[in-house]
Every structure is written in structure tokens, then in C-alpha cells.
Amino acid sequence: MATRMKLKLKTVFVLYFMVSLMGLVYALMQLGQRCDCHEHDMPKDRTISRLRGELHRLQEQMRKSEATKQPQKQPAKPTIFVITPTYARLVQKAELTRLSQTFLHVPQLHWILVEDSPHKTPLVTDLLVKSGLTYTHLHMPTAKDRKLQEGDPSWLKPRGVEQRNEGLRWLREDRRAQPGGDNQQGVVYFADDDNTYSLQIFEEMRNTQRVSVWPVGLVGGMKYERPVVEGGKVVRFHTGWRPSRPFPMDMAGFAVSLKLVLANPEACFDGDAPMGFLESSFLQGLVTMDELEPKADNCSKVLVWHTRTEKPKMKREEALQAQGLGSDRAVEV
């Protein structure tokens, strides 16, 4: 049975091959024959000419339409207003250079840099001018009784209080002076100059409605601190020190809607707040835990780190200075 089937298929194939071959031979023979096709070609030529004319007319119409069409306006992204306190030290320029070059990759960002100084310093002024960023340069000195002294632990007194409050003061005055309905659109973030920031964190915070929150790495003597989210809501905080605080979070772990900041002109940081309560002193009058907006995949991803640059050791420099051979003071570091 199988053999007969194979023979039939072979016969069909041979017949198909012969018919195809004869058709090919006939076509080749016709190539050499003269044919009076002028009468048949005339309608074809006229049709082709007419279609080409129609195509040309349509192309002209499209070009004119593109020329007169108004470009569609893309909705503007909310501005991120970043308030950064800074103070003079050997690593200040290095820290600000790194931070400014991170900010260059963030669209629609306004940097409010506030010096802990009685005046604006040339170092910071020059750095901002060359940064390529939209910025506001402010200064506000810390009161002497609030300053950390040499040898004091970093946690002894809150730092950057007056500078953050000065940034908030300027922001409130500036936004109220701006005409138009978009002057309240945006988000406020407090970014210290020694932290490390993923670019993703800025897009996470951009559409904050009230207060958005996320984890912070390498803080509080832990790998990370974070809000714990259940059912899309923050229910508690993963922290190793005093979790009973109203908002046991690091400064880098939240952003606030500009509209909320403007609607609460009294909201500021309390320099007399107990240790670890500085963030809570600002947030308590703005939001409840139930209103917090978890970001970074329900607070499961670390996108900002509380890093600190090691203080440079200057023993050799001091020894050379004692010999009158120290580094040229005119060279800015």
C-alpha cells in the first residue's frame, strides 16, 4: 500500500515538472517574437501617468498640512525643588560637584542651595554658576549655641535646621509671587550634600500628592530603614532606634507636595526637637501616617543611601605648613 502511494506521488511530481518545463520553454520562445502592443500599452501609460499625478498632489497636500500643523504641547513635569544645606569644609566642593552632576540628569529640577555662612562664598557661587542647573543660592548662619564643636558626635545637635527653614521661607515667598496657576505645582525634597541618590528616586517622588516615602540605606546603624507597607498603606517603620517616634525616618526618606508646604506656612524644622525628632517636627503638622504615599515598589527598594565622606587626614599637610612648605592656599580644593 505504502509502495503504491509512493509511486503515485512520484508520477504526479514528474507530470507537474514536465508541465512547468513546457510552460517555461514556451515563455522563452515568446521573448524573441515581435508584438504590436502599442494599442494595449496606451491605456496602461495613461493610467500610470494619472496615478503618478495623483500621488504627487497628495504628497504636496501632506507637506502643506505638516507645515501648518501646530505641535502638540506635552504636559510639563512638576518641578522638584531640592533644598540642600551646606557648610565649609575640605570636602565641600567635592560633595557639591558630585551632587550637582547627579542633578544634571534630572529634568525639571530647581536646586536651592543654602550655605551655613553669614555671606555667600566664592567657592559655592562659582560652582553654581558653572553647574548648568536652575538654582537659587542662599545663606543663613547657624547660631553659635547650636553649632557642633570639634570632637562632638554628629548626633549631638541637629544640623542644617536654619538652612532648611531658610530654603522653605524663600520657596514660599517666591511661589506666591509667581503669576499663573502652576506656581503651586511641584514637590519639595531635602537632599543633604553627602548622600548618594539614584536617578530613579526623583521620578518616584515627582507626582507626590501630600508626602511620599521610601527606604534609606546605610542609616541608623542598619543596612536600611524603611516604612513597612501592608495593603498599600504604611502601617509601621522598620528602624532600630525609637520606632515609637511619630515619623521615625531619615531626612532623605520623604518628599512633600509644594502645595502642602504653601498651605501650611508655619510648618518648619524645630531646632530644639529632641535627638531623632527633627523630621517629625516638620511632618507632624502636614500629614498622618495613613496619608503617607509609599514609593519605590511599596518601599521594598533602596534608591538613596545615607553615605558620608571620610574626613581627610591632614597630618603631612600640617607638618609641611609648620616648615613653611604647605600647599598653596590659592589653589581651591
Side-chain angles (χ1 to χ4, degrees):
M1 182 77 175
T3 305
R4 283 201 300 269
M5 182 62 72
K6 286 181 181 179
L7 287 172
K8 284 183 180 180
L9 289 173
K10 186 175 180 181
T11 304
V12 170
F13 177 78
V14 171
L15 288 172
Y16 178 79
F17 177 78
M18 293 298 295
V19 170
S20 300
L21 184 61
M22 290 173 64
L24 178 61
V25 171
Y26 178 79
L28 290 172
M29 290 174 64
Q30 294 299 312
L31 287 175
Q33 300 295 323
R34 295 185 61 185
C35 176
D36 186 9
C37 301
H38 183 69
E39 292 180 359
H40 303 290
D41 288 344
M42 285 292 287
K44 288 183 183 178
D45 291 343
R46 283 197 295 268
T47 301
I48 292 170
S49 178
R50 181 174 58 79
L51 290 173
R52 282 176 178 166
E54 184 70 15
L55 178 61
H56 181 72
R57 185 179 64 80
L58 290 171
Q59 287 173 334
E60 284 297 315
Q61 285 182 350
M62 288 176 65
R63 275 194 286 268
K64 289 177 182 177
S65 175
E66 289 293 326
T68 57
K69 188 165 64 175
Q70 294 296 323
Q72 277 191 329
K73 281 189 176 181
Q74 295 294 326
K77 287 186 174 185
T79 300
I80 298 174
F81 295 92
V82 179
I83 298 176
T84 300
T86 188
Y87 65 99
R89 59 206 191 276
L90 274 174
V91 297
Q92 183 185 29
K93 187 176 181 180
E95 303 278 34
L96 293 178
T97 297
R98 179 182 60 184
L99 188 57
S100 66
Q101 291 181 2
T102 296
F103 290 164
L104 275 173
H105 297 281
V106 183
Q108 205 64 23
L109 182 144
H110 186 130
W111 195 15
I112 304 170
L113 188 59
V114 191
E115 290 194 71
D116 184 353
S117 169
H119 52 79
K120 297 176 183 178
T121 63
L123 183 150
V124 175
T125 299
D126 188 55
L127 184 143
L128 285 171
V129 168
K130 294 176 179 176
S131 70
L133 293 164
T134 300
Y135 68 86
T136 295
H137 185 188
L138 305 172
H139 65 94
M140 175 60 67
T142 299
K144 285 186 178 180
D145 62 329
R146 294 184 184 276
K147 274 187 175 291
L148 287 171
Q149 303 303 312
E150 188 70 30
D152 284 347
S154 60
W155 47 261
L156 186 61
K157 296 176 182 177
R159 293 178 297 171
V161 175
E162 287 91 339
Q163 292 74 42
R164 294 186 187 98
N165 287 338
E166 175 65 7
L168 288 169
R169 181 205 62 76
W170 177 89
L171 192 53
R172 285 167 173 142
E173 289 185 5
D174 178 75
R175 289 297 96 186
R176 289 200 177 98
Q178 297 293 331
D182 294 335
N183 61 343
Q184 293 193 357
Q185 298 303 312
V187 60
V188 182
Y189 184 49
F190 302 95
D192 290 348
D193 60 6
D194 55 353
N195 287 349
T196 303
Y197 304 89
S198 163
L199 296 180
Q200 186 181 339
I201 197 62
F202 298 100
E203 294 312 310
E204 292 277 340
M205 73 175 72
R206 194 177 292 277
N207 294 303
T208 298
Q209 299 303 304
R210 291 184 68 81
V211 176
S212 55
V213 294
W214 48 81
V216 178
L218 311 177
V219 66
M222 299 179 64
K223 288 172 65 178
Y224 62 84
E225 291 182 341
R226 74 179 182 101
V228 178
V229 180
E230 293 178 3
K233 294 285 186 180
V234 176
V235 294
R236 62 184 182 277
F237 293 87
H238 174 70
T239 179
W241 186 76
R242 297 192 71 172
S244 60
R245 288 174 288 160
F247 294 96
M249 295 188 293
D250 185 77
M251 195 70 66
F254 66 89
V256 184
S257 157
L258 175 61
K259 188 177 291 186
L260 190 62
V261 168
L262 298 179
N264 294 271
E266 74 291 346
C268 63
F269 293 95
D270 182 4
D272 294 320
M275 184 179 68
F277 282 75
L278 186 62
E279 293 83 357
S280 295
S281 72
F282 175 65
L283 291 172
Q284 270 186 296
L286 297 176
V287 73
T288 63
M289 186 188 294
D290 189 60
E291 294 172 316
L292 294 176
E293 303 157 45
K295 303 291 185 180
D297 199 7
N298 275 329
C299 296
S300 65
K301 292 179 180 176
V302 176
L303 300 173
V304 55
W305 298 263
H306 197 277
T307 49
R308 287 179 181 163
T309 302
E310 182 182 2
K311 185 178 179 180
K313 296 177 175 64
M314 293 284 111
K315 289 183 179 179
R316 288 189 178 86
E317 181 68 38
E318 290 164 2
L320 286 172
Q321 284 179 1
Q323 301 171 44
L325 301 172
S327 301
D328 187 347
R329 293 180 183 274
V331 177
E332 187 179 87
V333 178

